[in-house]
Amino acid sequence: TQLLEQSPQFLSIQEGENLTVYCNSSSVFSSLQWYRQEPGEGPVLLVTVVTGGEVKKLKRLTFQFGDARKDSSLHITAAQPGDTGLYLCAGADSNYQLIWGAGTKLIIKP
Amino acid sequence: EAQVTQNPRYLITVTGKKLTVTCSQNMNHEYMSWYRQDPGLGLRQIYYSMNVEVTDKGDVPEGYKVSRKEKRNFPLILESPSPNQTSLYFCASSLLPSLAGGWSYNEQFFGPGTRLTVL
């Protein structure tokens, strides 16, 4: 079974700080998605990356897919309380299964 | 409004009492799946379906059943629930994954979740 490891598992920072969340695997994924989940709700898609080395920006969020398509990162600039949530990465493996990371719980304090 | 609905949202039951969690989507999606979410373990797929009458096991299918008689509905059945099935359950739907230089998943639309407690 392929694994997607997310780090850190938990992060609590002050509003305005920058942060990076990582999603790593020893396996190659054909595509990778990032979702955000708020308490009491299901995950919501933020971005899908497909090409090795690809960088996508969503306002203050920057997503990068590793050159070898084994890892990805999510960087948030000037974090806001509204960024609080559980961030999940999910990769599509060679057996067309979507493999999920355990998530990074992010708290942004005002 | 495009959405995935699940019912019930909360359920407390006892060991061995059969239960069904319903899931319905109004987006005409072919692909539907069930996940359970446990602290520190992330989302684990229970079953998925690529189309009507086509279902397949995910990573943790033991103790669960599903059916896909209609495109929009994908109920999850626990024939004899046990305490280790206490969890937060999510139904999701999407267009079929596409194969273009490797599998690429479309956006997964999730329901609001069902919190199940088995005593």
Side-chain angles (χ1 to χ4, degrees):
Chain A
T1 303
Q2 298 186 61
L3 291 175
L4 262 178
E5 295 185 358
Q6 285 190 243
S7 61
Q9 290 185 310
F10 180 79
L11 186 58
S12 178
I13 62 173
Q14 292 294 139
E15 180 177 1
E17 294 183 18
N18 302 331
L19 66 107
T20 302
V21 175
Y22 300 93
C23 179
N24 295 304
S25 176
S26 58
S27 303
V28 175
F29 292 99
S30 54
S31 65
L32 192 135
Q33 297 176 323
W34 284 92
Y35 288 78
R36 179 168 67 206
Q37 182 180 13
E38 300 189 20
E41 299 180 9
V44 175
L45 180 69
L46 295 173
V47 77
T48 299
V49 286
V50 180
T51 307
E54 183 177 3
V55 176
K56 282 192 173 179
K57 292 192 175 183
L58 189 65
K59 296 184 181 177
R60 294 175 293 99
L61 279 60
T62 301
F63 304 86
Q64 184 162 9
F65 201 13
D67 291 340
R69 293 184 294 154
K70 293 182 178 181
D71 54 83
S72 181
S73 64
L74 158 59
H75 182 78
I76 300 180
T77 302
Q80 304 292 314
D83 297 325
T84 292
L86 179 68
Y87 288 80
L88 296 159
C89 62
D93 72 3
S94 56
N95 295 316
Y96 61 80
Q97 291 304 302
L98 199 56
I99 309 299
W100 292 81
T104 293
K105 187 172 183 179
L106 177 62
I107 295 176
I108 309 299
K109 295 177 284 188
Chain B
E1 179 191 355
Q3 61 182 350
V4 178
T5 57
Q6 290 180 232
N7 283 291
R9 292 290 311 276
Y10 303 91
L11 179 59
I12 299 174
T13 188
V14 294
T15 299
K17 187 176 182 182
K18 180 180 178 179
L19 67 92
T20 299
V21 184
T22 65
C23 172
S24 183
Q25 51 95 3
N26 62 1
M27 293 168 280
N28 203 35
H29 286 160
E30 298 91 352
Y31 187 88
M32 296 186 75
S33 59
W34 275 102
Y35 293 92
R36 60 178 290 172
Q37 187 175 37
D38 302 290
L41 295 179
L43 287 169
R44 293 182 292 168
Q45 193 177 53
I46 303 169
Y47 270 94
Y48 65 95
S49 169
M50 292 278 198
N51 213 329
V52 175
E53 303 292 359
V54 180
T55 63
D56 212 340
K57 296 177 181 179
D59 295 321
V60 289
E62 294 78 20
Y64 305 94
K65 285 175 56 177
V66 293
S67 69
R68 188 92 181 270
K69 294 186 171 64
E70 306 163 286
K71 196 172 187 179
R72 63 183 293 128
N73 296 322
F74 191 45
L76 178 70
I77 304 154
L78 284 71
E79 294 270 5
S80 182
S82 63
N84 64 11
Q85 292 178 298
T86 292
S87 187
L88 180 58
Y89 290 86
F90 287 100
C91 178
S93 76
S94 73
L95 296 172
L96 280 174
S98 59
L99 180 58
W103 286 102
S104 179
Y105 269 76
N106 290 289
E107 177 178 4
Q108 302 290 302
F109 290 86
F110 284 84
T114 295
R115 185 165 291 281
L116 172 66
T117 301
V118 183
L119 302 174

